[in-house]
Amino acid sequence: MSKSTAYKVPIGPIHPSLEEPMTFNFEIAGERIQSVDLAPGDNHRGIEFMGRNRNIVQIIYLAERICGICSASHPFAFCRAVENAAGIEVPPRAEYIRVIIAELERIHSHILWAGVAAHELGFDSVLYLSWKVREEVMDLLEIITGNRVNYGMFMIGGVRRDITEQQIPRIRKTIEYYKDVYQKLEDVFLDDPSIAVRTKNVGVLTYEDALRLASVGPTTRASGVKKDVRQDQPYSAYADLDIKAITPDIHTGEVNGDVYDRIIVRVLEVLQSVQIVEYCLNHLPEGEILSEPKIAKLLANLKKAKGEGVGRHEAPRGEVIHYVKLNELENPEVWKARAPTYNNLMSWVPMLQNQEVADIPIVIASIDPCIGCMDRVTLTDSETYKQQVLTREELRQLSIEKTRRMLK
Amino acid sequence: MKLDKYLDRSLWVFHLNTGSCNGCDIEIVALLTPRYDVERFGIKLVGSPKHADVLLITGPVNRKMLPRLKLIYEQTPDPKAVIVVGTCGTSGGVFYDSYNIVGPVDKHIPVDVYVPGCPARPEGIINGVLKAWLKLERLRGLSGKEVEQKIEEVKA
């Protein structure tokens, strides 16, 4: 081997602040990343296995706890899968309430992500700003559902709680709040030179790679692929809305597929979600919220059901799919969940190629795996085999220094 | 164990996720941000267990994370307090019958404070950290009355 220094850099898995914590093995020449390998599996809880020992209604709450940020998306997709398998009709009012909850979740998730991304770049003031803005929607979710996270709203054939007359002015207040604050968010994230300088042409995922790797959600839309379940296969109340997938060319007129484009897509989707919530609130139909209010009867009906069902939903991170097979048993015979991050994992490989070590945090954060799994990095010098451990803080420090350097 | 004077300072916290769903973890980050802002009490998240006074543990402990949980517990210098945040770390919660879960946390390391909830509320976590602080003060040899007096001083 030549004398040029090549490093092997395993990252993680300690401090697995992702839903799916994992180890990254980087090969590095100087400051450039040559190759990346992923080793997931540190957060395996065997949820699908547990689901096979529980009845359908119990699984809703298990599905909710697959991920604490997507705690409306998984039950949404699961309920749709069971309804599909058992042929249950959901009342229109319930469909609208489901969409309102799902879109409020998207607002909180995207603002959360924006704050984390700013944190990885060293702008903690922006982290605090965006999380302050996020608390408004958390309050609203608490008022509607009773909990800040893990809402417990979804039920087979509808939702568990109605939106009352008294709650509607409070929801409108939140809508107005986000319409006011949106321009500020756009200024901070899209017009700020220091964010642009660190994110433009960083972590590029080309249109072809996005298609080839079947990435989903904002990750793929930022590469120009107009893929959105709400647009491609409208379901629930989305069918009444004309939703168009948001790609970065709406804002800038071009698609680069870099981290900056992913910020654009998420910031624009916040506004889109606010508009969807407003539409649903204005057109909220009257009527029942559950097709079968008695849970014992519902379970007895499901015990007689036989068949397969698929539920798809556009979660904040992309398409989530649940598959259920019912076979006249109390428990489902098969339950399979596929979260969007699973699809997006492999897009890290082309994104990280030829990037600098200091860009690892923002590129990893850019597909929104909740928080980067950046606790610990070991740099091994291939000649001396000396190990140098970088903590998450040190790695972030490198990232901050790079921002300062580029702004000079 | 009687402690020296060096604990007379703010608590630094290390957060360890042992297979949690992210719900509690996000609430812990929410603690640091303007609404709850625990840094005004000097409570700070640190990047290494070696700097920490308090271990904040979330998640039901799966097989792959168990050796890391023990390692991080050993790496945290004494005196330390361990807080378990969330129902799944306290009792297993919804994950109680999984083949890959070896928790709850107190089966493997001593735990001082439990903050139940799925996820625990930020106010609850602040209260848990306060309880951990009381434990550390008691280790210092202060009586219950003196500790309460100290809390009044802090509040004032």
Side-chain angles (χ1 to χ4, degrees):
Chain A
M1 217 182 138
S2 71
K3 279 191 109 183
S4 69
T5 41
Y7 297 104
K8 275 189 181 156
V9 186
I11 292 185
I14 305 181
H15 196 297
S17 23
L18 307 123
E19 314 102 292
E20 296 162 312
M22 64 183 65
T23 314
F24 296 82
N25 294 306
F26 290 96
E27 269 190 35
I28 287 176
E31 267 288 300
R32 293 276 157 197
I33 299 163
Q34 285 182 327
S35 69
V36 194
D37 196 15
L38 310 172
D42 298 271
N43 205 354
H44 181 68
R45 282 161 287 162
I47 288 181
E48 286 163 1
F49 166 82
M50 284 185 275
R52 268 182 270 154
N53 298 325
R54 300 190 189 182
N55 72 38
I56 303 281
V57 172
Q58 287 169 329
I59 293 177
I60 300 173
Y61 303 100
L62 197 55
E64 206 164 70
R65 282 152 183 83
I66 291 175
C67 168
I69 306 178
C70 305
S71 47
S73 306
H74 284 286
F76 198 162
F78 175 73
C79 288
R80 277 175 44 75
V82 174
E83 285 151 13
N84 183 339
I88 298 173
E89 280 290 321
V90 181
R93 188 175 175 88
E95 296 276 29
Y96 272 70
I97 294 175
R98 281 180 175 191
V99 166
I100 289 175
I101 299 297
E103 291 305 316
L104 289 176
E105 181 190 73
R106 192 183 317 275
I107 295 172
H108 108 67
S109 173
H110 280 350
I111 296 178
L112 179 154
W113 175 84
V116 170
H119 173 73
E120 304 292 4
L121 293 174
F123 294 108
D124 274 354
S125 48
V126 177
L127 164 75
Y128 293 137
L129 170 84
S130 42
W131 279 62
K132 183 173 162 250
V133 169
R134 172 180 173 266
E135 286 293 335
E136 173 73 22
V137 72
M138 299 305 280
D139 282 350
L140 179 60
L141 280 168
E142 191 178 354
I143 286 165
I144 299 178
T145 69
N147 204 0
R148 284 164 57 87
V149 186
N150 293 347
Y151 317 111
M153 265 309 251
F154 289 82
M155 178 51 68
I156 308 298
V159 288
R160 289 180 58 217
R161 292 182 196 86
D162 203 353
I163 291 181
T164 59
E165 275 305 315
Q166 291 87 354
Q167 284 167 343
I168 287 177
R170 180 65 184 75
I171 303 175
R172 289 203 193 282
K173 193 185 138 227
T174 301
I175 292 171
E176 288 310 314
Y177 175 81
Y178 280 107
K179 279 183 173 169
D180 284 349
V181 91
Y182 174 75
Q183 195 53 45
K184 204 170 167 188
L185 276 181
E186 207 180 287
D187 288 347
V188 168
F189 284 100
L190 303 185
D191 301 333
D192 189 286
S194 35
I195 287 185
V197 81
R198 276 303 307 278
T199 55
K200 276 190 176 166
N201 296 319
V202 171
V204 175
L205 182 72
T206 59
Y207 181 85
E208 290 74 26
D209 277 343
L211 283 180
R212 199 163 50 87
L213 296 168
S215 59
V216 289
T219 310
T220 200
R221 290 197 282 275
S223 299
V225 184
K226 290 190 183 294
K227 188 152 90 179
D228 189 324
V229 189
R230 296 172 295 168
Q231 168 198 279
D232 304 336
Q233 255 197 1
Y235 54 96
S236 197
Y238 293 119
D240 298 347
L241 287 108
D242 188 25
I243 293 175
K244 290 271 169 282
I246 287 185
T247 45
D249 48 334
I250 296 172
H251 187 75
T252 56
E254 53 177 5
V255 175
N256 298 317
D258 53 12
V259 176
Y260 186 71
D261 281 0
R262 271 163 237 146
I263 297 179
I264 296 176
V265 169
R266 290 203 175 88
V267 169
L268 295 184
E269 280 187 9
V270 170
L271 187 63
Q272 188 189 35
S273 293
V274 171
Q275 286 161 349
I276 293 173
V277 173
E278 193 175 22
Y279 178 91
C280 289
L281 207 58
N282 290 339
H283 296 81
L284 198 61
E286 294 296 321
E288 294 293 312
I289 55 164
L290 272 173
S291 64
E292 177 50 69
K294 291 195 183 93
I295 289 182
K297 202 173 166 196
L298 173 75
L299 281 173
N301 288 345
L302 286 170
K303 215 170 159 180
K304 285 179 223 143
K306 190 171 182 176
E308 297 170 287
V310 175
R312 301 170 76 191
H313 170 60
E314 184 74 19
R317 286 162 190 75
E319 182 186 8
V320 44
I321 299 180
H322 279 240
Y323 167 81
V324 175
K325 187 173 178 191
L326 304 175
N327 200 8
E328 295 174 350
L329 296 166
E330 199 176 348
N331 319 324
E333 197 170 71
V334 181
W335 171 38
K336 175 85 194 146
R338 202 224 59 203
T341 308
Y342 187 76
N343 273 36
N344 286 337
L345 282 184
M346 287 319 283
S347 54
W348 269 327
V349 176
M351 275 183 207
L352 284 165
Q353 225 123 46
N354 265 327
Q355 300 296 317
E356 291 180 20
V357 175
D359 288 329
I360 294 177
I362 183 62
V363 174
I364 288 190
S366 78
I367 74 156
D368 196 0
C370 300
I371 312 172
C373 176
M374 290 280 105
D375 175 63
R376 188 165 296 210
V377 179
T378 320
L379 295 176
T380 313
D381 192 311
S382 64
E383 286 176 15
T384 59
Y385 293 99
K386 251 189 203 160
Q387 286 206 339
Q388 180 196 355
V389 174
L390 295 183
T391 64
R392 176 191 169 88
E393 283 307 306
E394 283 164 337
L395 202 60
R396 202 171 77 80
Q397 200 56 40
L398 276 178
S399 177
I400 295 170
E401 278 161 18
K402 189 178 174 193
T403 308
R404 305 262 151 80
R405 253 193 341 264
M406 293 185 81
L407 283 175
K408 265 180 196 161
Chain B
M1 184 169 59
K2 192 154 178 165
L3 301 175
D4 58 17
K5 61 184 180 188
Y6 294 111
L7 202 77
D8 209 2
R9 55 177 165 82
S10 325
L11 291 185
W12 284 9
V13 177
F14 179 77
H15 166 219
L16 171 69
N17 176 338
T18 60
S20 153
C21 74
N22 244 335
C24 298
D25 313 87
I26 294 298
E27 295 294 63
I28 288 169
V29 182
L31 276 183
L32 303 174
T33 53
R35 167 71 66 86
Y36 300 100
D37 195 15
V38 288
E39 279 189 27
R40 69 202 149 117
F41 305 125
I43 299 167
K44 192 184 150 191
L45 275 192
V46 289
S48 161
K50 288 168 187 166
H51 302 159
D53 305 302
V54 173
L55 271 183
L56 216 52
I57 297 173
T58 58
V61 190
N62 60 26
R63 276 179 208 286
K64 217 171 165 184
M65 291 309 291
L66 178 60
R68 287 159 190 149
L69 171 71
K70 288 180 176 164
L71 191 69
I72 283 176
Y73 179 76
E74 282 158 15
Q75 280 177 348
T76 314
D78 280 322
K80 61 191 159 202
V82 178
I83 305 176
V84 171
V85 176
T87 302
C88 56
T90 307
S91 66
V94 285
F95 308 124
Y96 70 98
D97 60 347
S98 168
Y99 56 86
N100 205 35
I101 301 294
V102 289
V105 177
D106 58 7
K107 222 158 116 185
H108 304 286
I109 61 170
V111 176
D112 300 303
V113 182
Y114 300 90
V115 185
C118 190
R121 286 190 63 86
E123 294 92 335
I125 304 174
I126 297 177
N127 193 33
V129 176
L130 181 73
K131 291 238 160 68
W133 183 63
L134 292 184
K135 181 237 171 180
L136 291 174
E137 287 293 338
R138 252 179 239 120
L139 284 181
R140 269 183 90 198
L142 295 187
S143 71
K145 213 169 192 182
E146 282 168 317
V147 170
E148 270 166 31
Q149 209 175 347
K150 220 167 169 182
I151 289 178
E152 288 305 316
E153 276 171 35
V154 173
K155 273 185 184 166

